[in-house]
Amino acid sequence: MTTTSSSIEIPGYRVGTWNIDPTHSEVGFSIRHLMISKVKGKFERFTATFTTAEDPLDSSVTASAEVASVDTNEPNRDAHLRTGDFFEAETYPTIDFVSTGVRVEDGDFKVDGDLTIRGITKPVTFDFEFGGFGGDPYGNYKAGATAKTRINREDFGLSYNAALETGGVLLGDTVTITIELQAALQQ
């Protein structure tokens, strides 16, 4: 069942504009490698702004990650990811997300939006889980949450792969994107 109008109660919820706190947040991803394990990575530089509305379902978010800041803990792989085989960072310096709606489905929050990678925009849905709200020692009011989605990388022109001698391919098609976020309410 999808909820479209709100009588939603979220403890600690406040209306306003929130900016992501990059020192307490992470934009990460994982992909199957050699068909036997997963490789994880993250983007070191990113921004996001959330606007919470009186009705939480009218809230919105815009976010951007700097492609050149990709970090998989292997400098040669990171350099390869920045090339035309993958992100083509010089031509497409950011990965961007703009929400198009918020809804509740079976009691869980979903954030729908448009994700742009390599100049290709596709609709995606993030599962959104509130971690809570509270004040920090410096007088800031903070929100915490986890957002997760899965995409097919080939939908965004990320089709580089290699056949393995043992059968199969070097990289899986599905990429899981996980965002651990903390944001501060702007005064």
Side-chain angles (χ1 to χ4, degrees):
M1 178 178 133
T2 300
T3 303
T4 53
S5 70
S6 184
S7 59
I8 297 171
E9 293 291 327
I10 303 169
Y13 182 87
R14 291 188 187 171
V15 172
T17 300
W18 305 71
N19 288 332
I20 198 165
D21 175 352
T23 60
H24 295 105
S25 302
E26 183 175 276
V27 176
F29 60 89
S30 66
I31 185 169
R32 188 150 305 278
H33 183 251
L34 297 176
M35 300 185 69
I36 60 171
S37 65
K38 290 183 181 175
V39 170
K40 293 185 176 188
K42 61 185 175 181
F43 293 95
E44 296 288 345
R45 292 183 296 277
F46 50 87
T47 61
T49 301
F50 305 84
T51 303
T52 50
E54 287 291 335
D55 179 343
L57 300 182
D58 291 332
S59 298
S60 63
V61 60
T62 59
S64 184
E66 187 180 316
V67 172
S69 75
V70 67
D71 180 3
T72 63
N73 204 29
E74 168 43 54
N76 291 328
R77 178 174 45 221
D78 297 343
H80 189 203
L81 288 171
R82 292 181 191 105
T83 71
D85 282 347
F86 289 98
F87 291 116
E88 202 170 339
E90 285 189 27
T91 304
Y92 307 104
T94 61
I95 294 172
D96 300 296
F97 177 79
V98 177
S99 66
T100 57
V102 179
R103 59 192 163 89
V104 175
E105 188 175 292
D106 296 326
D108 296 322
F109 282 92
K110 308 285 185 183
V111 178
D112 299 314
D114 293 324
L115 180 65
T116 303
I117 301 174
R118 249 184 103 124
I120 298 170
T121 302
K122 299 282 183 183
V124 299
T125 298
F126 279 90
D127 296 323
F128 192 85
E129 179 183 336
F130 282 106
F133 297 88
D136 72 9
Y138 310 102
N140 299 302
Y141 193 68
K142 299 261 187 118
T146 300
K148 186 182 264 191
T149 193
R150 292 166 51 119
I151 63 167
N152 182 321
R153 66 188 180 91
E154 291 189 356
D155 291 346
F156 295 92
L158 303 169
S159 55
Y160 173 86
N161 220 334
L164 299 175
E165 238 178 66
T166 55
V169 290
L170 181 66
L171 299 171
D173 291 336
T174 302
V175 177
T176 301
I177 301 169
T178 305
I179 303 166
E180 298 291 347
L181 69 92
Q182 190 176 109
L185 181 62
Q186 301 308 291
Q187 305 302 327

